[in-house]
């Protein structure tokens, strides 16, 4: 509890580390991500180490696909990581010591956290089988680490959409292991989340009645290739897939097909949704057949049945806004104040450790709105801690 408010963090992380791949199936074990050092490291600053994944170094700071993410220097002592960091210990950062994470949560005043994987999982490999093996190994790891404190440490399981059999097995396994949600990224490689090839997985997912979390990540390769710097990565490769996922889920009828589906968009910020709702609602009546030239899409019957604004007001779309978001009140008006989530992104280094305190100190929010933001809305999506 923080200053009298209960806090349920809707988006925290366990940093990538080798223990996540200890139980990879034998055919993939030799291909596991491996920590490496760059010896000619002039001009690379902190990015002189990375994970060798399928012949590529991730993360990297220069050139196509550049992005920021945790390097081996953050989590491995042999690469210079300190066991005691400024804002958390290695055991807390990697979840290798759940008691250390709980101590950090106590320090920050957090009652519970929902845990998500590193964004590197969005594009580790183009091999669907290897991707599924990595995803499922992560799920088993985070389930083990949360087992000692299930009331406070919650987790979302990675869903390997691109390998249908593995996706169905992963869904069953994550439920059995105690996942509170499933997580995907903005696309499944170069396919939209609504691609018909994924329908058998979504049909089974709907029966599971888990929330679906769409997390920021560089999942769409063409966007990743446009970038040349970490800044490009943040703004283009990692952020724009939110709009692709929103179009897939609402614009391509997934909310119509699955009446109980709840979807959360995490770590993308919130401003983009104003553009998407306005733009999609502008074109929806035209493309249903009201175009001045009498044109309509061949598959107009598959278009959303209601207005986009109606969907986002339905109580099924949740968003994690930034604590200092100047448009938070407008977001309440757009999607409802019961659907906006608090997110710390802990332990990532984006300065959100004090995000809950920022919300508490805001003068433009009522006490009831703060209570909903910090705790009640996350419970509404994921269930009681």
């Amino acid at each position: 509890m923080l200053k009298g408010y209960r806090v349920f963090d809707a988006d925290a992380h366990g940093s990538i580390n080798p223990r996540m791949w200890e139980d990879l199936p034998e055919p993939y074990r030799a291909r596991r991500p491996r920590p490496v050092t760059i010896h000619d490291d002039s001009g690379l600053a902190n990015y002189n180490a990375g994970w060798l994944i399928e012949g590529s170094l991730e993360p990297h700071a220069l050139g196509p696909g550049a992005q920021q993410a945790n390097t081996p220097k953050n989590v491995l002592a042999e690469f210079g990581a300190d066991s005691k960091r400024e804002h958390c210990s290695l055991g807390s950062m990697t979840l290798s010591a759940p008691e250390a994470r709980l101590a950090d949560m106590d320090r920050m005043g957090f009652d519970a956290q929902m845990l998500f994987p590193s964004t590197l999982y969005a594009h580790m490999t183009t091999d669907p089988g290897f991707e599924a093996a990595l995803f499922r190994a992560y799920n088993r790891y985070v389930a083990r680490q949360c087992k000692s404190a299930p009331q406070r440490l919650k987790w979302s399981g990675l869903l390997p959409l691109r390998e249908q059999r593995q996706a169905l097995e992963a869904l069953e396994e994550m439920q059995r292991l105690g996942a509170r949600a499933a997580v995907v990224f903005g696309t499944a490689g170069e396919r939209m989340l609504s691609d018909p090839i994924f329908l058998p997985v979504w049909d089974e997912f709907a029966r599971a009645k888990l929330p679906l979390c769409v997390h920021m990540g560089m999942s769409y390769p063409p966007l990743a290739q446009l970038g040349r710097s970490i800044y490009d990565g943040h703004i283009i490769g990692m952020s724009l897939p939110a709009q692709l996922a929103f179009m897939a889920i609402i614009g391509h009828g997934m909310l119509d097909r699955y009446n109980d589906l709840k979807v959360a968009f995490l770590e993308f910020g919130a401003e983009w949704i104003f553009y998407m709702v306005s733009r999609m609602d502008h074109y929806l009546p035209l493309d249903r057949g009201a175009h001045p030239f009498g044109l309509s899409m061949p598959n107009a019957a598959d278009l959303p049945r209601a207005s986009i604004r109606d969907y986002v007001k339905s109580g099924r779309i949740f968003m994690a806004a930034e604590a200092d978001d100047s448009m938070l009140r407008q977001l309440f008006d757009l999607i409802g104040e019961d659907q906006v989530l608090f997110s710390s992104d802990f332990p990532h280094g984006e300065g959100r450790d004090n995000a809950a305190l920022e919300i508490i100190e805001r003068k433009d929010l009522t006490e009831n709105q703060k209570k909903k933001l910090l705790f009640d809305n996350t419970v509404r999506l994921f269930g009681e801690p």
Side-chain angles (χ1 to χ4, degrees), residues 298-309:
N299 59 340
D302 296 331
L303 291 175
R305 297 170 189 165
S307 74
I308 307 306
R309 194 169 295 269

Side-chain angles (χ1 to χ4, degrees), residues 318-332:
F318 293 76
M319 298 195 69
E322 302 291 356
D324 60 354
D325 192 333
S326 62
M327 299 181 70
L328 193 54
R329 296 299 297 271
Q330 290 92 330
L331 185 63
F332 288 164

Side-chain angles (χ1 to χ4, degrees), residues 85-359:
R85 303 176 64 82
E86 183 178 342
H87 68 302
C88 71
S89 68
L90 290 180
S92 173
M93 177 177 282
T94 64
L95 302 176
S96 60
E99 67 279 5
R101 174 58 66 94
L102 294 173
D104 283 329
M105 291 167 60
D106 290 340
R107 171 177 57 82
M108 294 184 291
F110 292 0
D111 296 270
Q113 280 189 329
M114 190 72 180
L115 299 170
F116 290 89
S118 167
T119 58
L120 282 181
Y121 277 97
H123 65 285
M124 277 190 173
T125 176
T126 59
D127 178 346
F130 186 32
E131 179 178 78
L134 288 166
F135 281 17
R136 296 186 66 183
Y138 166 82
N139 292 348
R140 291 189 288 268
Y141 171 80
V142 72
R144 288 193 298 269
Q145 301 313 107
C146 293
K147 194 173 182 179
S148 62
Q151 284 73 40
R152 301 190 67 188
L153 297 176
K154 317 293 182 182
W155 60 281
S156 181
L158 280 162
L159 186 62
L161 282 174
R162 295 194 294 170
E163 221 295 337
Q164 185 176 127
R165 181 180 62 82
Q166 289 285 342
L168 296 174
E169 290 181 7
L171 179 58
E172 185 279 328
E173 183 180 47
M174 71 174 73
Q175 292 178 90
R176 177 166 43 82
L177 294 175
R180 287 292 186 96
V183 58
V184 295
F185 298 98
T187 63
E190 295 195 4
R191 293 184 183 273
M192 298 278 277
L193 298 179
S194 54
D195 193 296
I197 199 171
F198 303 135
L199 281 178
V201 179
W202 292 130
D203 287 347
E204 188 62 31
F205 184 79
R207 286 188 279 272
K209 298 192 181 301
L210 288 174
L212 180 66
C213 296
V214 182
H215 198 282
M216 183 180 79
M218 198 176 286
S219 61
Y220 188 57
L223 288 178
Q225 291 302 305
L226 291 176
R228 291 296 184 272
S229 67
I230 288 175
Y231 186 59
D232 286 348
H234 274 137
I235 306 306
I236 300 173
M238 300 181 78
S239 295
L240 294 183
Q243 298 178 46
L244 300 178
F246 189 81
M247 183 65 180
I249 290 166
I250 296 183
H252 293 176
M254 288 180 67
L255 289 189
D256 291 325
R257 183 180 178 93
Y258 306 113
N259 294 324
D260 296 326
L261 181 63
K262 293 182 179 179
V263 184
F265 292 85
L266 303 167
E267 210 172 318
F268 294 108
E271 296 89 343
W272 59 272
I273 197 173
F274 296 99
Y275 168 79
M276 288 298 289
V277 170
S278 177
R279 198 66 172 163
M280 290 169 69
D281 264 342
H282 172 77
Y283 279 106
L284 188 56
L286 298 178
D287 293 331
R288 278 182 177 144
H291 195 281
F293 297 104
L295 301 175
S296 66
M297 295 173 57
N299 59 340
D302 296 331
L303 291 175
R305 297 170 189 165
S307 74
I308 307 306
R309 194 169 295 269
D310 286 341
Y311 287 108
V312 299
K313 282 185 172 293
S314 68
R316 300 167 63 192
I317 298 295
F318 293 76
M319 298 195 69
E322 302 291 356
D324 60 354
D325 192 333
S326 62
M327 299 181 70
L328 193 54
R329 296 299 297 271
Q330 290 92 330
L331 185 63
F332 288 164
D333 292 338
L334 180 66
I335 72 172
E337 62 183 41
D338 292 339
Q339 275 65 56
V340 184
L341 307 171
F342 162 69
S343 156
S344 74
D345 198 36
F346 184 85
H348 292 168
E350 296 189 18
R352 294 179 181 152
D353 285 16
N354 295 320
L357 195 58
E358 288 183 48
I359 290 172

